[in-house]
Amino acid sequence: MTTIANGPAPGRLRTRRQFLTIAGCGALGAAGASIAAPVLLDRYLGDSATTGSVGPRSGGSTVGSGAPDPGFVLVSVQLGGGIDFLNTVVPHSDSRYRRIRGDGTLDVDGGELPLTQLDDAYSLYAMPFLGEQWGAGNLAIVHGVGWEGSSLSHFEATDMWEQGSPDLSTRTGWLGRALSDLAGPEPDPLIGLSLGEVSPSMYAAGWSPVGLEPGRRIPWSAQFREEYRALDSVIVDMQAPVGDDLVSLARNSQLDLRRIGARLGPIVGNPEDREPVDDETSDEEFAGDSAFLDQQFDLAADLINGGIPTRAFHVMHDGFDTHANQAADLPRLLGELDASLRRFNQRLGPAAERVVVATWSEFGRRPEWNGDGTEHGTAGVQFVVGPTVRGGHHGEPPPLDRFDDDD
Amino acid sequence: MPIEPTPRNAAHLWRRAAFGATPEELAQTQRNGIEATVAAMFDHRRAVDAGRPLRSVGYSAYETEHLNLWFLRLATTSPTPAIEKLTWFWHGHFATNLDKFENPELLHAQLLTFRRYGLGRFDGLLKLMARDPAMILWLDLEQSIVGRPNENYARELMELFSLGVDGGYNQFDVANAGRAFTGYTLETDRPPTVMLNAGLHDDGTKTIFGQTGRFDGDDVVDLIVARPECHRFVATRLWTRYAGTTPPNDVLEFLSAAFATRLSIKDLLVAMFTHPAFYADDVRNGLVAQPVESVVAALRGLGIEIIDVSTTPIPDDEDLDAPAGAVPWFVPIAMLEEMGQFVGHPPNVGGWPHNEPWLDATRSAGRLNAAIVLAEWIDAIDSAPVRAIRAAADRDPRAAVGEMFAALGIAEWSDETAVAIVTALTAAGGAVGPLPTALTVALTSPEVILS
């Protein structure tokens, strides 16, 4: 059993299987495979919210005394495309690594690559901040994440991750189900926010997730309401239809926007007023990607520090589908993630105490090098990082001398 | 049995198959019938030349603006808007993002391929895709050579372009198809072309769907299009994106059969738009318009002209001095930017999302902001539809509601929306005038948000 969460009330932890049952996931884990994110939610959303007994440590809250426990916050980072675990958490002492990875092997002894040695067995590639977090005991690395029989389709595998369902039978997202349990009958629509470009179906449950893309102007600030007074009164007077048909959803999309826009506006502000994001960490031609990741984390930090009661954020970092050009693209992508996490940590300040970041990727990549990159494979890797995480290795690494068919 | 050419059926057809109709086009459809209208819509002999190639001065955001303005102008002025809508459909189907190769001209060439061949045989279109410079750069095909094949193109060809994820293939088929698609190399002449380089092609035997031979990419396409999974997948995809709903089983069987006979996309489109199920209530209320579609419908309906980038340079700065009676060149670009959709920039190879995601907070904010961007200019526009709206608003706010929806090609609307527009036209307050406020309400109503 893999249990990652660590905190003041370890005895309260439910097992993974219990959580999966609660969230309606069904058992996803197959031999040698695990899905780690639900373990976290059990601890970080479920328990603290229902009992209040697992609040932030001192200094962890920006809410004044007497305010309700703001609870833990999960930041789910999607590493889109399927991450290559072998060149990310490098098994440097395993002689089979060089044999199977061939020309794609990272030179761990040359001293020229940005590798952080974690222990006798593993080095971390291009992620110095996560290396520091490992040293501080704040980084959990989950090995061998995946399931048997994956079709290796980006879209189907992503749907399975988001639903937490191996047969796609639930049609709702596991995070949405967990948040619905947490939120009660009248959920705050801002309890779950999707910051990437595509709203993940991970949330979809009884209520619609709020997708909030950085760099977007959110209307209905006080100034906007003054300028558009007539429009405001028309919208405010309109009856909200009940129903989940598209006509009702379309009407409500504008009525809901009026309500949440007034709350988000002061925090999000105008995109042109937000401080520019530093592009230096990225390859020039891909500067947009790095900036977009920073913007998502900045927005999450500002919303957390601004008192918005969001309990789960989705952040998108795309481009891990390294069929070609992996030698250049993978370290860039990992470096961007690492730099953004460092920036996020700094921007959060004391609130970092109650934030956990968990990465996931729809699948891993095959160990063989195709000459310029790697193909879709079953087993991937997950990182879970935060001050309350029990650091270390979790799960079982896939054995390098025995693979599933085609993995 | 023919579909009755009522005003609501005629308006529904035009909004889905194209970008909405003018009152004259609706009247014509009511006279000629749905079937004759569909036949004329997809008559490629009526299509006009799509304009000269885009200037290529290297990549910049500026060039993406050229590409988008070119498409918006084509879609708003074309005598065959259904063919332009189909071009847009194929762009979402073979979703290629020019960020990867940074050359809008290659994407422009791909769109012209869709426009020229998108009504024809599906196998022909698939074979052209493996020879399309934008596509092979996008899915790493030009890096796939004998001895080190990569599977990216072969997998997406089966999963997203032709068979679907449950389309009866497995990882073994993908790997073998990956070997068949080796040696497609890019010649960087002007214009760039794709050559099958025999020296880089794996000419060994492959086994795909249980059949063995020395297959190349075209052979793989022939194996794919012979499969019933392909016929059902293509029929489902077109129905989903044009009707919005999941196709009922009997409809799916009918459409698959219509398509399978000749692998003709035109046969499939005609069968779909003349099927009674396409005019059922669930379909009528079953599709959220994508931003590009909404912008084309609004600009076309309100008679707003878009700058011709093949003859007119884009002004250097955001010049606020609009030509008399028109809107500045950047208004449609600003609308697309607000709504988060640009031609040439799908989020991934799966294309743009469908329905509900377009109603989330970011997209709803974008829709409102885009409506405001356009509505702010309404008082300055001197087109026939806007003059009619203005005259009606001076006379009777209720009549203005009818004129607005007539311009947008919408035949029916709810009382609640009508009341909101009338209130906006009669309410005082704020810095924004009644007509822009009323147009903003109309452009963010369910009637306009749904296609």
Side-chain angles (χ1 to χ4, degrees):
Chain A
M1 187 63 61
T2 300
T3 306
I4 295 163
N6 183 25
R12 295 195 43 78
L13 293 184
R14 295 191 186 104
T15 64
R16 170 169 155 271
R17 181 165 299 279
Q18 281 171 322
F19 180 84
L20 291 171
T21 308
I22 290 161
C25 291
L28 235 172
S34 62
I35 294 283
V39 183
L40 273 159
L41 260 255
D42 174 37
R43 165 69 176 67
Y44 286 94
L45 295 181
D47 286 352
S48 71
T50 49
T51 67
S53 65
V54 191
R57 295 169 190 169
S58 58
S61 173
T62 57
V63 180
S65 62
D69 174 4
F72 283 93
V73 177
L74 173 76
V75 181
S76 161
V77 185
Q78 180 179 356
L79 306 180
I83 189 169
D84 176 38
F85 75 97
L86 263 188
N87 280 9
T88 298
V89 184
V90 185
H92 62 250
S93 61
D94 191 327
S95 60
R96 295 166 300 183
Y97 165 59
R98 178 172 297 277
R99 201 157 62 234
I100 196 153
R101 190 37 72 90
D103 291 346
T105 303
L106 296 178
D107 178 12
V108 289
D109 301 321
E112 289 178 6
L113 293 176
L115 286 155
T116 309
Q117 186 169 343
L118 302 179
D119 48 34
D120 289 346
Y122 293 102
S123 295
L124 198 58
Y125 189 32
M127 296 194 285
F129 174 71
L130 285 191
E132 292 164 26
Q133 294 303 305
W134 176 271
N138 294 340
L139 172 66
I141 298 176
V142 191
H143 296 263
V145 181
W147 58 92
E148 288 173 357
S150 170
S151 71
L152 303 186
S153 150
H154 294 294
F155 301 93
E156 187 177 74
T158 301
D159 284 349
M160 286 182 178
W161 262 98
E162 295 188 341
Q163 293 191 15
S165 159
D167 57 2
L168 298 177
S169 60
T170 64
R171 303 198 149 276
T172 60
W174 68 268
L175 191 49
R177 293 192 297 271
L179 288 173
S180 291
D181 279 358
L182 178 64
E186 283 183 43
D188 186 323
L190 295 177
I191 192 167
L193 280 172
S194 169
L195 302 182
E197 241 172 84
V198 180
S199 292
S201 55
M202 196 159 75
Y203 285 108
W207 44 274
S208 296
V210 174
L212 191 64
E213 194 179 324
R216 297 273 158 210
R217 198 150 44 101
I218 298 298
W220 299 117
S221 64
Q223 187 193 334
F224 184 97
R225 289 200 301 276
E226 180 58 30
E227 200 173 335
Y228 289 89
R229 210 151 59 208
L231 183 65
D232 192 28
S233 64
V234 168
I235 300 271
V236 168
D237 288 347
M238 210 174 273
Q239 197 74 32
V242 180
D244 59 1
D245 58 295
L246 284 181
V247 178
S248 301
L249 290 177
R251 174 81 75 202
N252 281 328
S253 69
Q254 289 296 325
L255 304 189
D256 290 345
L257 177 68
R258 165 67 181 76
R259 282 190 289 273
I260 64 169
R263 292 168 66 197
L264 290 175
I267 297 168
V268 176
N270 280 321
E272 49 271 29
D273 298 338
R274 291 181 71 81
E275 67 185 275
V277 161
D278 179 11
D279 281 349
E280 280 175 20
T281 53
S282 72
D283 197 294
E284 196 180 320
E285 66 188 66
F286 283 100
D289 296 346
S290 166
F292 187 59
L293 187 63
D294 280 349
Q295 286 170 347
Q296 294 177 75
F297 278 114
D298 283 3
L299 193 50
D302 293 353
L303 292 167
I304 291 168
N305 281 327
I308 297 293
T310 304
R311 302 297 297 279
F313 292 90
H314 173 268
V315 166
M316 183 67 176
H317 188 31
D318 210 352
F320 284 83
D321 193 22
T322 50
H323 293 278
N325 211 27
Q326 174 170 320
D329 286 349
L330 183 63
R332 171 181 60 79
L333 290 161
L334 296 174
E336 286 169 358
L337 172 65
D338 192 73
S340 285
L341 288 173
R342 186 188 294 280
R343 178 185 171 99
F344 182 51
N345 191 57
Q346 286 163 355
R347 198 173 179 102
L348 277 173
E353 284 293 321
R354 59 188 182 94
V355 175
V356 172
V357 177
T359 70
W360 62 278
S361 193
E362 65 264 37
F363 42 61
R365 308 195 78 80
R366 261 177 273 168
E368 301 88 357
W369 190 246
N370 74 7
D372 198 21
T374 49
E375 302 296 326
H376 301 182
T378 308
V381 65
Q382 250 190 311
F383 298 110
V384 187
V385 58
T388 51
V389 168
R390 191 206 301 160
H393 295 290
H394 300 266
E396 278 185 40
L400 289 182
D401 50 5
R402 184 171 55 78
F403 302 112
D404 297 348
D405 286 348
D406 308 313
D407 84 346
Chain B
M1 205 172 61
I3 309 293
E4 200 184 341
T6 58
R8 69 195 296 254
N9 282 344
H12 175 59
L13 169 66
W14 277 96
R15 293 188 79 198
R16 293 297 176 86
F19 301 97
T22 61
E24 297 73 37
E25 286 166 327
L26 282 188
Q28 202 171 24
T29 295
Q30 288 172 251
R31 280 197 305 275
N32 298 346
I34 296 287
E35 289 73 15
T37 302
V38 171
M41 276 177 161
F42 294 107
D43 182 352
H44 63 87
R45 291 166 303 183
R46 296 175 54 241
V48 293
D49 182 56
R52 279 178 280 174
L54 299 177
R55 268 181 326 112
S56 181
V57 290
Y59 176 81
S60 68
Y62 197 61
E63 286 289 302
T64 286
E65 291 169 356
H66 276 91
L67 180 71
N68 278 267
L69 289 168
W70 165 78
F71 183 76
L72 292 177
R73 182 177 168 88
L74 178 65
T76 50
T77 58
S78 170
T80 52
I83 291 178
E84 320 315 339
K85 182 81 166 269
L86 182 66
T87 299
W88 168 246
F89 165 82
W90 286 125
H91 181 32
H93 184 75
F94 294 105
T96 302
N97 189 323
L98 63 84
D99 278 341
K100 185 151 173 178
F101 44 86
E102 308 187 339
N103 186 345
E105 205 167 8
L106 296 185
L107 207 290
H108 179 249
Q110 191 187 75
L111 295 178
L112 290 178
T113 297
F114 297 146
R115 193 170 180 270
R116 195 166 300 133
Y117 302 101
L119 273 173
R121 286 180 60 108
F122 185 60
D123 49 346
L125 194 56
L126 287 180
K127 289 173 184 175
L128 285 170
M129 283 300 100
R131 292 171 174 77
D132 181 78
M135 176 58 79
I136 77 162
L137 287 165
W138 169 232
L139 291 183
D140 307 318
L141 190 59
E142 105 291 6
Q143 311 207 13
S144 188
I145 59 177
V146 59
R148 36 174 275 196
N150 89 56
E151 297 167 1
N152 202 4
Y153 183 77
R155 181 185 308 281
E156 306 305 11
L157 169 68
M158 292 187 193
E159 176 181 337
L160 299 176
F161 302 160
S162 67
L163 291 171
V165 70
D166 298 318
Y169 63 90
N170 57 31
Q171 174 58 26
F172 184 79
D173 298 321
V174 170
N176 277 264
R179 288 176 49 222
F181 279 103
T182 45
Y184 288 74
T185 55
L186 188 66
E187 309 293 322
T188 52
D189 304 338
R190 308 218 29 98
T193 50
V194 177
M195 304 284 288
L196 182 53
N197 184 324
L200 299 176
H201 174 69
D202 180 343
D203 67 350
T205 57
K206 299 107 187 166
T207 300
I208 301 171
F209 312 137
Q211 299 186 55
T212 301
R214 300 162 81 93
F215 301 132
D216 65 12
D218 285 353
D219 298 324
V220 175
V221 168
D222 289 334
L223 291 171
I224 286 173
V225 298
R227 297 173 73 77
E229 289 91 346
C230 170
H231 311 147
R232 279 199 291 274
F233 174 78
V234 174
T236 302
R237 178 75 180 183
L238 277 144
W239 178 275
T240 306
R241 289 292 167 146
Y242 276 103
T245 60
T246 305
N249 277 335
D250 59 327
V251 175
L252 178 56
E253 289 312 312
F254 175 80
L255 296 179
S256 305
F259 172 57
T261 316
R262 300 193 297 174
L263 296 174
S264 157
I265 295 299
K266 184 172 172 176
D267 289 352
L268 176 50
L269 288 164
V270 169
M272 180 167 74
F273 290 121
T274 56
H275 196 291
F278 195 84
Y279 297 85
D281 281 346
D282 65 327
V283 170
R284 230 179 261 282
N285 292 326
L287 186 66
V288 177
Q290 294 180 47
V292 165
E293 298 164 0
S294 294
V295 170
V296 172
L299 300 188
R300 196 179 168 97
L302 295 172
I304 294 170
E305 192 174 349
I306 291 166
I307 186 171
D308 182 351
V309 290
S310 67
T311 57
T312 314
I314 290 180
D316 281 340
D317 50 8
E318 294 195 352
D319 188 354
L320 285 171
D321 294 330
V327 304
W329 69 271
F330 60 82
V331 163
I333 294 294
M335 293 175 75
L336 289 178
E337 185 157 23
E338 287 289 353
M339 291 199 273
Q341 185 176 49
F342 277 119
V343 175
H345 297 271
N348 56 54
V349 65
W352 284 280
H354 179 60
N355 278 354
E356 282 88 348
W358 289 115
L359 301 176
D360 76 10
T362 294
R363 270 68 172 259
S364 299
R367 193 172 282 277
L368 176 59
N369 290 335
I372 288 170
V373 166
L374 181 59
E376 277 179 354
W377 291 93
I378 188 78
D379 290 327
I381 299 170
D382 189 34
S383 67
V386 174
R387 280 201 304 272
I389 293 168
R390 203 178 289 128
D394 291 341
R395 190 172 76 237
D396 168 16
R398 289 215 152 257
V401 176
E403 289 293 345
M404 274 186 202
F405 283 123
L408 296 168
I410 293 171
E412 50 190 0
W413 51 89
S414 67
D415 287 345
E416 181 149 47
T417 297
V419 167
I421 295 172
V422 168
T423 306
L425 282 171
T426 50
V432 179
L435 196 55
T437 304
L439 185 63
T440 302
V441 172
L443 291 174
T444 53
S445 68
E447 287 82 353
V448 170
I449 293 174
L450 299 193
S451 173

